Amino acid sequence: MNQTYPFKFWCKQQVNRFAPGLFFIGLVLLWECICVFGKVPNYILPAPSSIITAFLNVEFSRWMTHLWATLRVALMGFFLSIIIAIPLSIGMMRSELMNRVLYPALIVIQSTPVVAVAPLIIVLLGTDDPSRVLITCLITFFPLVVSTTTGMLETPPEMIELSKSLRAPRYRETWQIRIPYAIPHIFSGLRVSITLAIIGAVVAEFVAAEEGLGYFIQFSTSFFKIPQAFAGLIFLSIISLLLFKSVQWVQMWLFPWSLPKKK
Amino acid sequence: MGPVPNKTDKNLTYVSLKGVGHKYDPHPNSPMVVQDIDLDIHRHEFVAVVGPSGCGKSTLLRMVAGLLVPSHGSVSVFNLPVTEPRDDVGIVFQKANLLPWLTVRKNVLFPLKHKYGRYSSADEVRANELLEMAGLMQFADKMPDELSGGMQQRVGIVRALLLNPDILLMDEPFSALDALTREQIGFDLLDIWREHPKTVLFITHSISEAVLLSDRILVMSKRPGTVMDLIEVDLARPRTSKTINSPRFAELTDIIRGYIYEPNVPV
Amino acid sequence: MKTKLKFTLFASLITSTSVMAADKVTFQLDWLPGGDKAPVYVGIQQGFFEALDLDVSIASGRGSTDALTKMATGQSDIGSSDIGALMAARAQDDVPVVAVLPYFTQAPHAFFVLKSSGIKSIKDLKGKKIATSPFTSSNAFLPLVLKENGFSEEDIQLVKSDPGALAPMMITGNADAIIAWVTNTALFKNQASSVGKEVIEMPWSDSGLSLYSSSLLASEKFLTERPDVAKRFVKAYAKAIQFTYEFPDKAGADLHKMVPEVDAGIVSAQIKSITNLVFNDVTEKDGFGYFTPERIQKTWKYVAEANGLEDDALEPMMIVNNDFIPE
Ligand SMILES: Nc1ncnc2c1ncn2[C@@H]1O[C@H](COP(=O)(O)OP(=O)(O)OP(=O)(O)O)[C@@H](O)[C@H]1O
Ligand SMILES: [Mg+2]
């Protein structure tokens, strides 16, 4: 009798701890069963087991080559868009003229399908990394501009009045007040951007590349190796997920105060 | 300057408002927000402003602070027209507005860091002294969100005192606090004021708070805000919780309440 | 001992300088690596290019237009793409690219059906549901083929779908026939046999659609600025084509070596299945590696009709440069 309550509690705890993992494993098993017992052919929906086999059949070093190619472009594009977006937002926040001139231009750029301008980029910058980095950057920088600008504009007006009442130089208003206040917004932008960066790199590889996970998937499809394409796809999503998490870790590590308060 | 007695010196006018009026919209037909305000605040005087919401109290304060140029009349501080914010005027806002990424001590030192880009160890010593005085020393290295609302507000006051301003402008500094904390922090403010005599312009929604703290109370009318009365608070200092129970305190609050709830009573 | 060391040093110096001096050539594919793209890989692996002092790098492409654009803008020097696409482009624009060597002397387009469907010839397709991919050049030639067989597009039900979905559609019975290139034959057979079915190909070249298709194209800039390099390249490339179709298994291994994701076996099967696109009665008659004016003319006629262009929009021999044919 005495034992029951803690035991129940322990069980509940364990269920909470392992439920997400068990759910995932269950899902994969269900998928496997549907494929095996339903006799679904590989070219329609490959079974998890054949995806794993396909994954192992590709040499590890090849995976690393493709991973590095995609990651390199995605990260360079991501950092380039940070370098462009943040100063741009500061400029637009500080100058009404710049805001009015640039904002429509940014929206036009954002709503242009990158695939449509990609051939032009390739002609201008060649078929190497620079083109792919630019394509990635074009896809990633808009959410960053929007989130940074929003964040800086949402600074409490009292803080701005405090800065004015001190007659502090404007750059300090930007650096010591507006930017830190924008940090939570900037990080939501970064989380969106990092996943877009992977998509951007893959889109760029669809246009021109000799390696990379996007190229690998396209290539596998061209040989109708669907399980191999799925393996590439799943690998890609895991990388996206890890990058997304990394952005959260960086925020937790550098700006713990900017995280939403836990209840 | 030397030690100064904490007594209003009627011979020295620190803040002077003459025929001050303001409208945010420059259009000729747009309504005035505040109108015809005449007020002199003397050295080390504690003046409270009460009035209905939207009557232009904050507008008035921002004009004294040099954050807003009045469209009519003139505001002067130390007999000089106010054209921009001055170093000898400090402001405390309604919400504490501490920076969440800085410790309490760094928040207190923020005005120096923000204005000059740095502070000296002497400044840190001063910040510690002020924190000590406000009873916040043990929280100096805590982050703002680890403090209660009342403590955060005290940090805001300490921050305004860092640059040792002669004039302190406070815009509903305690309105975000619960009633108990509010009364206590009112007494704390009086203690601080006694130790560091300042000329204070204090905006509040609370009639009893105005009576408890101030030397004079400016009662404003509904929009457009005009002066309905300027009431002399003749309660002895130092004021304590006993003051609240005195008949004169009740009398004064009743007078003001009369203005706020029956605005048609002739002055 | 000392002289020997000196000699080795000298020899390595020569080889290293010769490697440094090798002429760089960028080769453009019109799609991703695959069996039909094997010759350039064979040329590299078998040392045909190196022997003629060429240092060749390969760029994959995303369709014939993409390949043409990359050659026209100087991203690459020479490459394989569809001569029909070049004709259509030249008829409308002044694209500085010309054809230097035929590769496929027959059209690669084909219908594929399951043996179990009972369809035996193109005529049997009347009233059937046929799947094709949205952007393939085959679509333009489809009306011509149907006309040759006495019916029109109105007599069939044409559906468009992703290239990767075509074979599954046929195998699952969602389409009676599909349109694709014969370069895919080996892959389709593979897919169908995994569920115990058999695929039959019906090449359009068998029913009158007789034309040049995939060819070796080069940018005019490359040909005028480095004619000597171009000449050597074409020579080595022609040799590589011969080798590829003579030794499909070696070619498969060579491609696999450079692109490990590709199975050597599939590649050699692909090569075997398309040999008659490269070596056939046309090459028998005209000889390998030579564009005849008659066949160019004929190709243009088809291209013009398929793309709705005027017959006089292009003087077709203008897009051919026979000066680089290896002796
Ligand atoms: N920046 C501004 N631009 C335009 N109108 C303003 C601005 N600031 C305040 N107002 C208007 O001026 C009037 C007075 O505002 P103010 O903030 O001074 O009132 P208040 O007495 O402080 O009110 P509360 O007690 O609610 O704080 C209000 O009607 C407000 O809408
Ligand atoms: Mg206000």
Side-chain angles (χ1 to χ4, degrees):
Chain A
M1 190 64 215
N2 213 8
Q3 214 74 42
T4 348
Y5 176 69
F7 179 70
K8 262 189 183 165
F9 184 74
W10 181 86
C11 282
K12 206 171 162 188
Q13 216 176 14
Q14 296 308 308
V15 166
N16 272 338
R17 167 121 58 81
F18 294 113
L22 287 174
F23 177 72
F24 179 74
I25 292 170
L27 216 61
V28 172
L29 282 179
L30 184 70
W31 176 0
E32 180 78 36
C33 288
I34 291 175
C35 289
V36 172
F37 296 114
K39 295 208 164 51
V40 181
N42 261 340
Y43 52 79
I44 292 179
L45 179 68
S49 56
S50 55
I51 295 173
I52 293 168
T53 316
F55 184 86
L56 297 175
N57 275 344
V58 176
E59 263 175 67
F60 185 69
S61 66
R62 295 303 301 168
W63 280 119
M64 289 302 115
T65 309
H66 291 307
L67 169 64
W68 171 236
T70 305
L71 205 58
R72 186 180 66 215
V73 169
L75 290 180
M76 282 199 284
F78 178 66
F79 286 115
L80 183 66
S81 68
I82 296 178
I83 294 172
I84 294 173
I86 293 188
L88 202 69
S89 320
I90 294 174
M92 291 199 320
M93 184 264 301
R94 286 181 56 160
S95 148
E96 178 61 21
L97 180 72
M98 215 171 142
N99 190 29
R100 289 184 43 174
V101 171
L102 286 182
Y103 219 87
L106 292 184
I107 291 169
V108 168
I109 293 177
Q110 169 66 10
S111 47
T112 308
V114 182
V115 184
V117 288
L120 181 71
I121 293 172
I122 301 274
V123 168
L124 291 176
L125 293 181
T127 50
D128 291 329
D129 277 359
S131 303
R132 289 190 283 276
V133 169
L134 181 62
I135 290 172
T136 308
C137 182
L138 282 179
I139 293 184
T140 50
F141 90 107
F142 191 74
L144 267 184
V145 173
V146 172
S147 58
T148 309
T149 316
T150 315
M152 287 195 294
L153 290 178
E154 277 183 13
T155 306
E158 288 91 345
M159 282 319 300
I160 303 305
E161 294 213 310
L162 175 69
S163 173
K164 289 223 171 75
S165 75
L166 290 166
R167 281 177 298 136
R170 259 195 98 178
Y171 71 89
R172 282 209 203 105
E173 178 201 288
T174 305
W175 283 108
Q176 295 185 349
I177 299 179
R178 287 201 189 263
I179 298 265
Y181 264 112
I183 287 286
H185 286 89
I186 291 178
F187 268 87
S188 357
L190 287 176
R191 281 197 293 271
V192 174
S193 279
I194 193 84
T195 43
L196 286 180
I198 290 286
I199 295 178
V202 168
V203 166
E205 284 167 13
F206 281 0
V207 180
E210 311 304 325
E211 55 186 25
L213 289 170
Y215 170 84
F216 176 85
I217 291 168
Q218 199 181 30
F219 183 85
S220 305
T221 319
S222 83
F223 271 89
F224 305 110
K225 290 185 166 182
I226 309 303
Q228 189 174 294
F230 264 76
L233 204 66
I234 290 170
F235 193 44
L236 198 63
S237 359
I238 293 171
I239 299 304
S240 283
L241 203 70
L242 284 179
L243 288 176
F244 182 86
K245 278 278 169 202
S246 315
V247 172
Q248 274 182 326
W249 287 325
V250 168
Q251 186 180 8
M252 241 186 278
W253 171 46
L254 293 177
F255 309 102
W257 53 266
S258 69
L259 295 165
K261 299 280 164 303
K262 284 193 203 85
K263 283 276 135 64
Chain B
M1 229 188 205
V4 279
N6 184 21
K7 195 141 186 308
T8 307
D9 188 341
K10 299 238 163 154
N11 295 322
L12 286 173
T13 303
Y14 271 24
V15 178
S16 172
L17 288 85
K18 287 200 168 56
V20 170
H22 188 74
K23 52 182 178 182
Y24 284 99
D25 183 356
H27 191 271
N29 293 338
S30 65
M32 298 290 281
V33 171
V34 287
Q35 212 170 357
D36 299 332
I37 308 278
D38 288 300
L39 175 70
D40 283 348
I41 307 175
H42 307 112
R43 180 172 192 246
H44 295 174
E45 191 179 16
F46 197 124
V47 174
V49 180
V50 294
S53 185
C55 71
K57 303 183 292 294
S58 298
T59 303
L60 203 65
L61 180 128
R62 290 169 67 223
M63 290 190 287
V64 177
L67 292 168
L68 188 67
V69 180
S71 53
H72 298 74
S74 72
V75 178
S76 46
V77 169
F78 298 124
N79 292 320
L80 292 170
V82 176
T83 51
E84 57 169 357
R86 303 171 55 106
D87 291 352
D88 44 20
V89 175
I91 308 180
V92 180
F93 293 101
Q94 174 171 0
K95 283 175 268 152
N97 286 302
L98 303 181
L99 300 161
W101 54 91
L102 296 179
T103 60
V104 165
R105 184 185 287 109
K106 287 195 169 150
N107 260 293
V108 170
L109 286 160
F110 181 74
L112 284 169
K113 179 87 180 164
H114 194 55
K115 192 167 165 64
Y116 305 110
R118 69 194 130 79
Y119 47 78
S120 65
S121 49
D123 296 325
E124 277 185 75
V125 171
R126 184 171 154 71
N128 286 342
E129 280 169 13
L130 288 168
L131 285 167
E132 187 71 61
M133 175 200 72
L136 290 164
M137 198 47 205
Q138 75 220 70
F139 301 104
D141 294 309
K142 292 248 182 324
M143 300 308 271
D145 61 3
E146 297 174 78
L147 270 59
S148 72
M151 287 195 271
Q152 290 184 18
Q153 202 57 47
R154 274 188 289 190
V155 177
I157 296 171
V158 166
R159 179 177 67 190
L161 295 176
L162 180 77
L163 295 178
N164 200 15
D166 294 306
I167 298 165
L168 198 55
L169 308 177
M170 305 178 88
D171 191 353
E172 302 186 32
F174 308 145
S175 62
L177 307 177
D178 64 273
L180 285 178
T181 314
R182 192 167 179 160
E183 212 169 279
Q184 182 52 49
I185 202 173
F187 291 121
D188 291 349
L189 176 64
L190 287 180
D191 287 346
I192 295 172
W193 182 58
R194 200 165 46 237
E195 265 185 63
H196 300 262
K198 306 275 174 226
T199 304
V200 181
L201 180 65
F202 185 95
I203 291 172
T204 178
H205 267 135
S206 160
I207 295 168
S208 55
E209 190 173 79
V211 176
L212 181 64
L213 299 178
S214 61
D215 296 319
R216 276 193 296 158
I217 298 170
L218 176 74
V219 185
M220 287 177 74
S221 68
K222 272 204 287 220
R223 206 180 142 158
T226 51
V227 180
M228 287 178 88
D229 199 0
L230 205 50
I231 297 168
E232 201 76 43
V233 181
D234 45 6
L235 294 165
R237 287 186 189 272
R239 296 181 188 158
T240 61
S241 46
K242 289 205 185 71
T243 314
I244 300 172
N245 299 327
S246 72
R248 181 63 185 150
F249 185 91
E251 250 174 67
L252 285 166
T253 50
D254 275 350
I255 294 174
I256 299 167
R257 210 162 274 134
Y259 283 124
I260 305 286
Y261 295 117
E262 292 157 65
N264 296 329
V265 172
V267 179
Chain C
M1 193 64 201
K2 215 169 182 186
T3 36
K4 199 178 172 196
L5 182 74
K6 256 188 185 163
F7 178 77
T8 357
L9 268 176
F10 186 53
S12 68
L13 205 69
I14 288 179
T15 32
S16 65
T17 43
S18 71
V19 165
M20 270 167 67
D23 297 291
K24 288 196 186 312
V25 176
T26 306
F27 187 86
Q28 184 66 51
L29 305 179
D30 60 353
W31 188 234
L32 301 164
D36 54 323
K37 316 285 188 269
V40 68
Y41 294 91
V42 167
I44 293 172
Q45 288 297 317
Q46 297 296 329
F48 298 157
F49 294 125
E50 207 182 344
L52 295 182
D53 221 9
L54 297 165
D55 176 11
V56 176
S57 55
I58 302 168
S60 64
R62 305 293 189 272
S64 13
T65 322
D66 179 52
L68 280 180
T69 312
K70 281 173 181 160
M71 282 186 260
T73 54
Q75 307 281 345
S76 33
D77 304 308
I78 194 162
S80 69
S81 187
D82 183 32
I83 198 170
L86 175 62
M87 285 175 168
R90 288 284 297 250
Q92 294 161 74
D93 258 312
D94 206 12
V95 183
V97 176
V98 291
V100 290
L101 190 83
Y103 177 34
F104 290 176
T105 42
Q106 284 292 2
H109 318 283
F111 289 116
F112 294 84
V113 293
L114 288 182
K115 196 174 181 188
S116 53
S117 72
I119 298 168
K120 296 219 163 44
S121 73
I122 295 179
K123 291 193 169 57
D124 296 337
L125 289 172
K126 214 169 182 174
K128 298 284 195 238
K129 185 171 168 186
I130 301 175
T132 180
S133 52
F135 301 113
T136 170
S137 59
S138 311
N139 294 345
F141 292 111
L142 179 65
L144 312 188
V145 175
L146 296 179
K147 206 166 95 186
E148 298 274 352
N149 287 277
F151 56 114
S152 79
E153 264 186 284
E154 275 160 29
D155 300 316
I156 57 164
Q157 189 196 346
L158 194 66
V159 292
K160 298 201 170 156
S161 115
D162 182 79
L166 290 179
M169 282 177 80
M170 170 177 64
I171 296 168
T172 53
N174 279 319
D176 300 309
I178 59 171
I179 297 172
W181 283 24
V182 293
T183 46
N184 286 318
T185 307
L187 300 169
F188 290 162
K189 287 195 165 150
N190 233 10
Q191 279 192 311
S193 69
S194 73
V195 287
K197 302 216 166 152
E198 204 179 318
V199 172
I200 299 176
E201 66 169 14
M202 299 189 292
W204 295 359
S205 52
D206 291 355
S207 58
L209 192 73
S210 180
L211 41 74
Y212 289 125
S213 85
S214 193
S215 308
L216 186 64
L217 312 180
S219 86
E220 280 177 350
K221 183 161 167 269
F222 176 58
L223 297 182
T224 49
E225 283 178 8
R226 302 195 290 163
D228 168 58
V229 178
K231 193 135 200 154
R232 274 183 280 144
F233 183 90
V234 177
K235 190 172 172 194
Y237 189 72
K239 193 171 168 190
I241 294 178
Q242 307 266 11
F243 186 95
T244 301
Y245 291 90
E246 205 166 325
F247 307 105
D249 293 331
K250 281 189 186 149
D254 285 347
L255 210 162
H256 176 71
K257 217 175 280 169
M258 295 186 70
V259 189
E261 288 83 356
V262 181
D263 299 329
I266 291 193
V267 171
S268 38
Q270 277 183 308
I271 294 171
K272 283 172 199 158
S273 73
I274 58 170
T275 308
N276 64 343
L277 288 182
V278 184
F279 299 103
N280 45 36
D281 42 355
V282 179
T283 42
E284 209 101 294
K285 185 162 79 59
D286 300 340
F288 169 75
Y290 180 73
F291 288 113
T292 63
E294 302 77 52
R295 199 168 174 76
I296 283 287
Q297 195 68 49
K298 201 170 165 189
T299 305
W300 163 240
K301 257 199 66 188
Y302 278 119
V303 171
E305 195 176 345
N307 292 287
L309 295 166
E310 294 296 326
D311 255 1
D312 56 1
L314 180 77
E315 174 43 59
M317 272 314 274
M318 291 281 293
I319 66 142
V320 172
N321 190 335
N322 271 331
D323 296 349
F324 291 86
I325 292 160
E327 291 84 39

